[in-house]
């Protein structure tokens, strides 16, 4: 099996998953993509990419809150294969005969056959509220703003006159989502704390990287401008 992050959590690099699927399949691998940093951030076109499966959490860009349900994609070519090993629970058993409790276990074809058990309704409600907003705005519009917002962020960072910082995220908008990872020389986590004290929410990754993700759904160009001004003062 070839399992890899579609958007790298550290560098923010968005890999060409279609190419990865082709490479993996050429070596007879099952190809799976971790989209924890991709869901709600990029448009991976999973079906067309040809990957066998993908999984993601919903509490990052999808805003459903910590502990919320994850998501799973299984390619249509596997949809009716009942012989694939899977977690089995009463929710993926044929509904007609579910309560007869007889062998063999009768897995439903399609997406229903990957359910396991009762979903937690409060978690589902948060996901639904979020996905409704994503439906309303659309990934296309979000990506369009995101490319501009992160491009503006990158431009402002490059204007800071210092040799202490370096953006380690690719500069090609097709090779990233909204995150920029900034490597800072001679800094430690206290820089992140100072940003937090100014109400700038970023994330520190050891040894020397701040991850910053201006999110098109709710961050503005003004937010980005103010964040960079604060970072500049702190540096
Ligand atoms: C956040 C994250 C996950 C999600 O893990 P959970 O167990 O759902 O919290 C998976 N992979 C990466 C790289 C992540 O950053």
């Amino acid at each position: 099996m070839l399992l890899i992050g579609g958007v790298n959590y550290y560098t923010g690099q968005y890999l060409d998953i279609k190419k990865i699927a082709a490479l993996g399949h050429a070596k007879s691998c099952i190809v799976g993509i971790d989209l924890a940093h991709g869901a709600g951030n990029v448009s991976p076109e999973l079906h067309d990419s040809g990957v066998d499966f993908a999984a993601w959490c919903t509490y990052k860009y999808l805003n459903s809150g910590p502990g919320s349900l994850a998501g799973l994609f299984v390619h249509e070519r596997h949809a009716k294969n009942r012989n694939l090993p899977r977690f089995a629970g009463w929710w993926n058993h044929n509904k007609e005969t579910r309560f007869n409790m007889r062998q063999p276990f009768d897995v439903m074809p399609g997406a229903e056959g990957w359910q396991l058990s009762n979903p937690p309704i409060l978690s589902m409600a948060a996901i639904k509220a979020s996905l409704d907003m994503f439906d309303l705005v659309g990934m296309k519009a979000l990506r369009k703003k995101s490319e501009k917002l992160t491009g503006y962020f990158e431009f402002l960072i490059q204007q800071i006159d210092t040799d202490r910082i370096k953006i380690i995220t690719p500069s090609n908008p097709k090779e990233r989502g909204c995150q920029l990872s900034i490597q800072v020389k001679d800094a430690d986590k206290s820089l992140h704390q100072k940003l937090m004290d100014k109400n700038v929410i970023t994330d520190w990754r050891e040894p020397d990287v701040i991850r910053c993700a201006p999110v098109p759904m709710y961050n503005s160009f003004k937010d980005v401008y103010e964040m960079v001004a604060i970072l500049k003062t702190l540096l």
Side-chain angles (χ1 to χ4, degrees):
M1 181 165 78
L2 193 163
L3 179 63
I4 192 166
V7 177
N8 183 278
Y9 77 98
Y10 195 90
T11 63
Q13 181 178 13
Y14 177 26
L15 298 171
D16 184 341
I17 62 172
K18 196 168 181 172
K19 199 166 169 183
I20 290 171
L23 286 169
H25 289 156
K27 300 278 181 194
S28 308
C29 296
I30 294 283
V31 178
I33 307 290
D34 175 343
L35 282 173
H37 285 259
N41 181 22
V42 295
S43 298
E45 309 296 348
L46 286 173
H47 178 84
D48 292 338
S49 78
V51 298
D52 295 287
F53 73 95
W56 56 91
C57 56
T58 59
Y59 61 86
K60 289 169 184 167
Y61 294 96
L62 293 178
N63 309 308
S64 68
S68 198
L69 276 186
L72 173 69
F73 165 84
V74 177
H75 197 277
E76 200 170 22
R77 81 175 83 90
H78 302 302
K80 291 180 181 158
N81 181 358
R82 290 150 180 261
N83 299 321
L84 276 180
R86 69 186 77 200
F87 285 130
W90 66 296
W91 272 54
N92 52 20
H93 191 284
N94 178 355
K95 287 174 200 163
E96 306 297 318
T97 55
R98 184 175 278 173
F99 291 106
N100 297 351
M101 308 202 180
R102 292 286 174 266
Q103 297 290 351
F105 195 89
D106 188 7
V107 170
M108 279 185 282
E112 283 185 305
W114 294 91
Q115 299 176 109
L116 192 58
S117 181
N118 268 299
I121 56 163
L122 296 180
S123 169
M124 297 291 271
I127 294 172
K128 184 170 187 315
S130 169
L131 292 184
D132 283 349
M133 286 195 288
F134 275 85
D135 266 353
L136 192 67
V137 182
M139 277 311 292
K140 210 169 161 186
L142 285 170
R143 276 303 301 159
K144 197 169 164 196
K145 180 180 167 190
S146 181
E147 288 191 12
K148 287 185 184 156
L149 197 62
T150 295
Y152 179 56
F153 183 30
E154 182 181 40
F155 168 79
L156 292 177
I157 292 288
Q158 284 162 348
Q159 305 307 304
I160 303 178
D161 187 20
T162 171
D163 58 4
R164 284 186 65 200
I165 55 174
K166 184 182 153 202
I167 298 171
I168 61 167
T169 308
S171 59
N172 180 354
K174 303 272 172 288
E175 293 173 31
R176 67 187 184 196
C178 54
Q179 174 184 334
L180 287 187
S181 296
I182 305 170
Q183 194 170 33
V184 193
K185 245 187 235 165
D186 307 318
D188 56 34
K189 203 176 172 184
S190 66
L191 177 63
H192 167 256
Q193 189 54 50
K194 285 175 193 156
L195 284 165
M196 290 288 273
D197 293 345
K198 301 265 185 200
N199 298 321
V200 177
I201 300 166
T202 63
D203 181 75
W204 180 262
R205 288 288 118 168
E206 297 297 344
D208 55 4
V209 164
I210 338 175
R211 300 190 299 180
C212 317
V215 172
M217 184 74 90
Y218 51 81
N219 280 131
S220 66
F221 290 86
K222 186 163 170 270
D223 288 338
V224 169
Y225 181 83
E226 287 172 355
M227 184 275 178
V228 177
I230 291 165
L231 179 65
K232 192 171 160 179
T233 310
L234 292 176
L235 287 170

